[in-house]
């Protein structure tokens, strides 16, 4: 790296050191009651993209040492208040460092998910498959970006909201794992490998998918109705693959609602137990199904969309059937369309 390329980094590190010195001087020369040391959290947030994990931990330790030194050197004020402020400042520094490291780990996980997607794209010549995988992974990756931006906003406040930032980071880690899981499951499906079936709570899995789509639903002024049973026995299926199906049906329903007037946009998800199987229903009041469409909806490469390729519902059917269920569609009673699919119930031995 040339000196001109190194110079911006050197200047930024020098600026960080200067800010730390200013915070130390202010914290030392003011009364115990002034908790200037909490602004070391800004230093940590600034440095997280510039240095590695070890250097960031050393920076955290340096900030803590400076905080303690300021308490010792402060000449006046209420010592008890100073001790309380020192404890709060150190806790904020440590928590901010932990959150910053988790945020970088989440970003790395997201990049790994994207890298896996690119590797799959290189080894397949079937455009429909790669587009379908990208379509399925797009939801968790979009959620990662949204949660990451929210986390940065919470941490950048004058008084960082550490709890909200921690919650955002937990969502990032969960969505990054979900993206990687989706890629692995779709790849297994195309290779003809059996799904990884295990007992899980269908209603909980549906809620997770709906949460990822909340921003899209709200943006298009769609009224969502969740009528989940809440008392269903566990489903016996591949949870990630089932969530792929729910996400695809949900996205199709949202797209079908866009051409209708905002006041008429209704989306309903309901679950129940029927004939020894679990049943999930996704109903919309969108443009509906034209005559003859139902016979071809789940055919590979058949689509009614101008820019569609017709693989989403085909893969959804393959997933549901591979997990021992059935999927079908019918016109809605109030217009629009209704998609339903079933899953087997986990017996006592499997659930245990």
């Amino acid at each position: 790296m040339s000196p001109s390329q190194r110079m911006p980094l050197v200047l930024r590190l020098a600026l960080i050191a200067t800010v730390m010195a200013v915070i130390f001087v202010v914290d030392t020369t003011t009364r115990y009651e002034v908790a200037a040391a909490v602004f070391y959290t800004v230093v940590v947030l600034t440095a997280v993209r510039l240095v590695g994990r070890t250097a960031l931990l050393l920076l955290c330790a340096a900030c803590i040492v400076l905080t303690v030194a300021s308490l010792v050197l402060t000449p006046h004020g209420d010592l008890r208040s100073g001790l309380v402020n020192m404890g709060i400042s150190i806790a904020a520094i440590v928590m901010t460092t932990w959150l910053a490291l988790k945020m970088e780990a989440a970003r790395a996980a997201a990049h790994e998910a994207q890298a896996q997607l690119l590797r799959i794209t290189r080894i397949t010549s079937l455009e429909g498959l790669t587009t379908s995988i990208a379509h399925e992974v797009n939801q968790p990756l979009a959620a990662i970006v949204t949660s990451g931006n929210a986390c940065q906003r919470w941490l950048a406040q004058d008084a960082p909201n550490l709890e909200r930032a921690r919650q955002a980071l937990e969502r990032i880690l969960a969505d990054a794992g979900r993206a990687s899981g989706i890629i692995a499951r779709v790849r297994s499906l195309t290779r003809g490998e059996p799904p990884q079936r295990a007992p899980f709570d269908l209603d909980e899995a549906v809620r997770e998918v709906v949460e990822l789509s909340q921003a899209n639903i709200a943006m298009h002024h769609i009224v969502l109705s969740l009528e989940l049973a809440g008392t269903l026995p566990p489903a016996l299926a591949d949870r990630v693959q089932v969530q792929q199906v729910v996400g695809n049906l949900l996205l199709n329903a949202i797209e079908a609602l866009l051409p209708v007037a905002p006041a008429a946009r209704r989306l309903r998800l309901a679950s129940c137990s029927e004939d020894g199987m679990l049943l999930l229903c996704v109903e919309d009041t969108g443009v509906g199904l034209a005559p003859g469409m139902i016979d071809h909806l789940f055919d590979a490469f058949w689509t009614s969309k101008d820019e569609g390729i017709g693989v989403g519902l085909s893969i959804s059917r393959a997933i549901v059937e591979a997990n021992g269920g059935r999927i079908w569609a019918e016109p809605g009673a109030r217009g629009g369309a209704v998609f339903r699919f079933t899953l087997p119930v986990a017996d006592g031995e499997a659930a245990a």
Side-chain angles (χ1 to χ4, degrees):
M1 185 179 292
S2 66
S4 61
Q5 291 175 309
R6 289 197 300 267
M7 186 58 66
L9 177 59
V10 171
L11 288 176
R12 282 179 283 180
L13 293 176
L15 180 60
I16 289 175
T18 302
V19 171
M20 290 179 66
V22 170
I23 294 174
F24 176 76
V25 171
V26 172
D27 196 33
T28 303
T29 56
T30 54
R31 297 175 63 86
Y32 286 125
E33 292 83 356
V34 179
V38 76
F39 289 101
Y40 285 125
T41 57
V42 178
V43 174
V44 172
L45 289 174
T46 303
V48 66
R49 304 302 297 273
L50 303 179
V51 300
R53 177 186 179 87
T54 302
L56 191 66
L57 291 174
L58 291 174
L59 179 63
C60 172
C63 292
I64 293 174
V65 170
L66 291 176
T67 301
V68 175
S70 293
L71 178 72
V72 174
L73 298 175
T74 297
H76 47 269
D78 183 0
L79 179 59
R80 287 179 299 179
S81 298
L83 289 172
V84 171
N85 285 337
M86 182 189 70
I88 293 174
S89 298
I90 290 176
I93 293 168
V94 171
M95 183 62 72
T96 300
T97 303
W98 181 81
L99 289 171
L101 291 172
K102 287 292 185 180
M103 182 168 61
E104 288 304 303
R107 284 178 176 163
H111 290 159
E112 175 61 23
Q114 290 176 318
Q116 289 187 37
L117 178 60
L118 290 175
R119 285 194 289 271
I120 294 174
T121 303
R122 292 190 190 104
I123 65 173
T124 180
S125 59
L126 186 58
E127 181 183 1
L129 174 61
T130 56
T131 304
S132 174
I133 296 172
H135 169 78
E136 301 291 348
V137 174
N138 184 60
Q139 282 187 325
L141 291 185
I144 288 171
V145 173
T146 301
S147 297
N149 291 335
C151 183
Q152 288 182 324
R153 288 197 301 272
W154 292 123
L155 292 177
Q157 293 180 352
D158 289 341
N161 192 325
L162 301 180
E163 179 60 24
R164 290 291 185 89
R166 183 188 63 79
Q167 293 173 2
L169 281 170
E170 288 179 351
R171 291 195 299 270
I172 290 173
L173 293 173
D175 290 328
R178 176 174 150 83
S180 297
I182 287 174
I183 293 173
R185 296 297 197 276
V186 173
R187 184 165 53 185
S188 296
L189 181 67
T190 59
R191 288 176 175 175
E193 298 176 3
Q196 300 179 14
R197 300 173 68 181
F200 70 95
D201 187 333
L202 177 61
D203 288 346
E204 180 184 0
V206 171
R207 288 191 188 94
E208 290 177 0
V209 177
V210 171
E211 184 177 352
L212 296 177
S213 304
Q214 284 288 5
N216 198 15
I217 292 171
M219 179 177 64
H220 296 298
H221 309 289
I222 297 171
V223 177
L224 174 65
S225 175
L226 276 181
E227 300 177 13
L228 304 179
T231 57
L232 296 176
L236 182 60
D238 188 311
R239 180 189 180 104
V240 174
Q241 287 188 352
V242 171
Q243 287 183 316
Q244 284 178 246
V245 175
V246 177
N248 186 50
L249 295 180
L250 195 57
L251 182 60
N252 286 347
I254 292 173
E255 292 176 351
L257 287 165
L258 298 185
V260 306
R265 294 173 183 172
R266 300 285 188 274
L267 179 58
R268 173 178 170 267
L269 279 78
S271 65
C272 65
S273 178
E274 185 174 286
D275 296 329
M277 301 284 283
L278 301 185
L279 173 67
L280 184 72
C281 169
V282 179
E283 180 179 4
D284 65 72
T285 57
V287 293
L289 303 173
M293 284 182 59
I294 293 179
D295 295 334
H296 302 285
L297 276 176
F298 299 96
D299 293 345
F301 304 110
W302 186 94
T303 179
S304 61
K305 303 176 183 177
D306 294 337
E307 299 179 358
I309 58 173
V311 295
L313 289 175
S314 175
I315 288 183
S316 293
R317 182 176 64 177
I319 288 174
V320 171
E321 292 180 351
N323 282 278
R326 185 172 71 92
I327 186 170
W328 69 97
E330 58 192 36
R334 300 176 297 171
V338 182
F339 284 81
R340 294 184 173 91
F341 70 87
T342 61
L343 293 172
V345 175
D347 57 28
E349 181 179 349

